[in-house]
Amino acid sequence: MSRFIGLIGYPLKHSISPYFQQAALDYYQLDIRYQAWETLPGELGETVSRLRHPQNLGANVTVPYKESVLPLLDEIDELASLIGAVNTIVKRDDRLAGFNTDAHGFIQALREQGNFEPESKDVIILGAGGAARAVSFALVQKKAGSLTIINRTLERAEALANSLRSYQASIGLETKTVVLPWPTVTTPVTFEHCHLVVNCTTIGMKHSPEEGKSPLRLEAIPSSALVYDLIYNPSLTPLLQLAQRAGANILGGLAMLVYQGAASFELWTNREAPVDIMLIKAEEVLERC
Ligand SMILES: NC(=O)c1ccc[n+]([C@@H]2O[C@H](COP(=O)([O-])OP(=O)(O)OC[C@H]3O[C@@H](n4cnc5c(N)ncnc54)[C@H](OP(=O)(O)O)[C@@H]3O)[C@@H](O)[C@H]2O)c1
């Protein structure tokens, strides 16, 4: 009997996860199909119930359900619970367990592709949505020196900073966390001393209303920093193009996408993910999207 892993989100037309996940499953000749389960708002409960059928092993969860899926699951891993978002569901003994592999994927790409060690570094985070939450908790766990969170909706950034502070107080970590309003993205002085800028907004994403735009102007980009855009399509986003012109080092979001997917693969299959094969397939598919 074939078994299935789903990708739950809406819309899914431009997702490349089904291609590189299937390449990894095929590498091990597993009789498992990775399918896009496009789910309309209002149908999330039904899709998650379908996961309980015997032939289904688990799922990835993407925009816009990473947060709303939590109450539908039987258990939530500690990190996913802190972040408040689940991107991976694993069925174990008929129970649905939620995990977040974005944090892991972010750090692995930062270290391996960005050659950057976050401990004691000063970081600017643009955005305060699900991805920014995963990135912030990951950086605090890796003992970043400071985080400056800048978001259009200030209350969302403040809520994130508050949850980071209470987490740190509970385990004795000391990353300084500051929140700034969105207009500061135009002030070069804000960025002068930072080592890493991470774009966790959707600004610059292909097929979105913000396609072709950059969250920062050229003058605001620090030439000595690493500029990391979580967006993977296009691979060279408008922000990264400007960062290159400013003389900064750059990192796009594709490696993170593949590393988070590889961590999900290992949770479903208990096998080592063939990361190189996944990366090659992801790059190949992206060229056509
Ligand atoms: N490479 C990877 O593996 C990976 C993984 C996860 C996410 N991502 C990428 O990360 C990005 C964010 O994803 P998410 O899940 O965090 O989305 P989300 O929860 O919807 O958050 C979107 C963020 O973008 C901000 N934003 C959107 N439009 C804006 C505008 N016009 N001006 C200023 N700010 C704007 C939002 O600000 P408000 O709070 O004010 O709305 C919010 O902070 C997406 O591009 C996604 O593809 C990549």
Side-chain angles (χ1 to χ4, degrees), residues 153-282:
T153 309
L154 193 60
E155 305 80 60
R156 211 173 174 192
E158 278 164 351
L160 170 55
N162 286 336
S163 32
L164 289 167
R165 288 183 195 119
S166 21
Y167 170 61
Q168 292 189 77
S170 70
I171 55 165
L173 289 174
E174 289 177 357
T175 302
K176 186 179 164 209
T177 307
V178 177
V179 166
L180 293 177
W182 185 251
T184 38
V185 289
T186 56
T187 322
V189 76
T190 314
F191 296 84
E192 225 164 44
H193 301 293
C194 79
H195 303 104
L196 173 67
V197 179
V198 191
N199 179 31
C200 303
T201 76
T202 47
I203 301 172
M205 192 164 81
K206 199 166 172 184
H207 311 296
S208 84
E210 319 294 339
E211 180 170 353
K213 297 181 189 158
S214 167
L216 298 182
R217 295 204 318 249
L218 179 64
E219 313 77 75
I221 299 175
S223 59
S224 55
L226 170 66
V227 178
Y228 186 171
D229 200 332
L230 298 200
I231 293 171
Y232 59 85
N233 192 9
S235 46
L236 195 60
T237 62
L239 172 64
L240 295 183
Q241 289 178 30
L242 291 180
Q244 262 184 342
R245 276 175 58 194
N249 289 324
I250 61 166
L251 179 60
L254 191 68
M256 172 177 169
L257 182 77
V258 170
Y259 289 138
Q260 62 79 31
S264 302
F265 178 92
E266 292 179 357
L267 285 168
W268 297 314
T269 65
N270 285 320
R271 291 171 195 247
E272 188 182 343
V275 176
D276 291 348
I277 286 170
M278 297 169 90
L279 201 48
I280 289 167
K281 179 55 91 175

Side-chain angles (χ1 to χ4, degrees), residues 73-92:
L73 305 178
D74 303 315
E75 51 199 77
I76 312 288
D77 153 84
E78 191 187 347
L79 179 61
S81 182
L82 279 170
I83 294 169
V86 158
N87 76 336
T88 305
I89 304 174
V90 182
K91 192 163 69 179
R92 287 182 179 154

Side-chain angles (χ1 to χ4, degrees), residues 27-103:
Y27 170 79
Y28 282 112
Q29 300 183 324
L30 299 171
D31 186 11
I32 302 173
R33 311 305 305 163
Y34 186 101
Q35 300 179 324
W37 294 349
E38 195 164 68
T39 298
L40 286 168
E43 291 177 355
L44 181 61
E46 205 178 299
T47 303
V48 173
S49 300
R50 187 147 51 99
L51 261 179
R52 298 183 188 276
H53 295 178
Q55 70 273 27
N56 295 325
L57 297 176
N60 274 136
V61 183
T62 186
V63 178
Y65 303 124
K66 286 186 185 180
E67 289 157 47
S68 49
V69 79
L70 267 77
L72 303 173
L73 305 178
D74 303 315
E75 51 199 77
I76 312 288
D77 153 84
E78 191 187 347
L79 179 61
S81 182
L82 279 170
I83 294 169
V86 158
N87 76 336
T88 305
I89 304 174
V90 182
K91 192 163 69 179
R92 287 182 179 154
D93 303 327
D94 289 331
R95 290 176 64 77
L96 299 180
F99 297 85
N100 189 304
T101 64
D102 281 337

